[in-house]
Amino acid sequence: MTDDCVRTADPALLPPGTPTTVRGATAVARETTHFSARISATTRLLVAGRPAHVIAPGGHALATVGITVRNGLVSRIALTRIPAGTPLALPPAAPDAPPPATRGPRR
């Protein structure tokens, strides 16, 4: 992370008392550990036609995670709530991508 890294978040996504903006690499790293499970479980979707990393607990699109990189280091993390009714779609598959994994019958 850059020394001046910033994490912003919609207040509706945060536990009460959590600041909506955190500044500085150390503070962002420390604070982001509270959300690491959700952030690491994002999926790529098109949100209103734009590619995004989406947090979708239980399969319900909740928020996007925007990451800005400057000189190879994360300089900004933005957690933005996805409004109800926002169109979502799977992105097109890469030409060389293997087919999606499928599960066999449940036993």
Side-chain angles (χ1 to χ4, degrees):
M1 278 186 230
T2 60
D3 289 340
D4 61 346
C5 185
V6 176
R7 192 277 298 144
T8 60
D10 183 309
L13 300 172
L14 301 170
T18 304
T20 57
T21 302
V22 176
R23 297 180 186 282
T26 301
V28 171
R30 186 179 315 115
E31 191 265 352
T32 302
T33 61
H34 300 292
F35 307 103
S36 62
R38 282 191 172 184
I39 291 172
S40 67
T42 64
T43 188
R44 296 276 297 163
L45 290 176
L46 297 177
V47 178
R50 299 183 62 191
H53 295 279
V54 175
I55 299 170
H60 302 282
L62 175 67
T64 60
V65 179
I67 298 173
T68 303
V69 176
R70 185 175 70 224
N71 298 325
L73 299 172
V74 173
S75 62
R76 182 175 197 84
I77 301 170
L79 305 172
T80 307
R81 189 168 167 265
I82 299 173
T86 300
L88 304 171
L90 293 172
D96 299 348
T102 58
R103 293 183 181 203
R106 291 183 180 225
R107 297 175 195 235

